[in-house]
Amino acid sequence: MWRPWGSSKKSPVRRIHDTSSPFSCSSFKDILHLCAEDYSPSSSSLPLSSAAKRTANVFHRVRIANSILRAWGETRPESNRKLLDSVSDRSVSVSIPDADKRIVVYYTSLRVVRSTFEDCKAVRSILRGFRVSIDERDLSMDSRFLDELKGILGKSKLSLPRVFIGGRYLGGAEEIKQLHETGELKKLMEGLSAAEPATCGVCGGYRFVLCDECNGSRKIYTEKSGFKICTDCNENGLISIKKQ
């Protein structure tokens, strides 16, 4: 918090000799620390009124904040390049038809692990905002998506979400958020197919419908063998509608 502008306690004068020189600033905490210092006129200057002192304090703080933000912004392109270099180093491709023209997202809609659910929700929201074609693969709806993802990445233990753009693996929630904040994610969307304007009238956008044979129960009754497990649907009694 800033000290009251009308404080009678004197503090050392803090001057900026060259506002264009770069500052070493790691966070906004440094800005708040510098802004907390009160500005007091030099002893050789004429006495100022209380209102004049307050005005001087305000302008002094604004100058410091602007200088630090300007210097901090100059260092960000370097970090952006490092982030893009790390992304470009990923050579994993998706073995899905037309994957080079759309986004493929592996996620879960289950709320068992809240942090994972929130990450999946945030990433899907970011990607949907670009209005491009997204192939969303919910592992909680079909376990075959998990086997597919393990085969692509060659790992048995995976965290979600996992995002592929244009057939190239970009990473999880942290990488997507960083790329979005730096504006580089928008550049990766160039050339991708536009999203379909309307929701599917068959599945409602969920990409799964109830099995016609067992109606989702996964059990079929025949007079000859009685009840047996339905082999036409997955473990949830659902049938996937493949995207074209």
Side-chain angles (χ1 to χ4, degrees), residues 103-107 123-124 127 134-137 161-163:
I103 300 174
V104 180
V105 182
Y106 291 86
Y107 74 102
V123 167
R124 292 171 65 204
L127 297 176
I134 304 177
D135 187 351
E136 298 182 346
R137 300 186 165 237
R162 297 285 176 158
V163 180

Side-chain angles (χ1 to χ4, degrees), residues 57 76 192:
N57 289 342
R76 295 194 69 181
L192 299 183

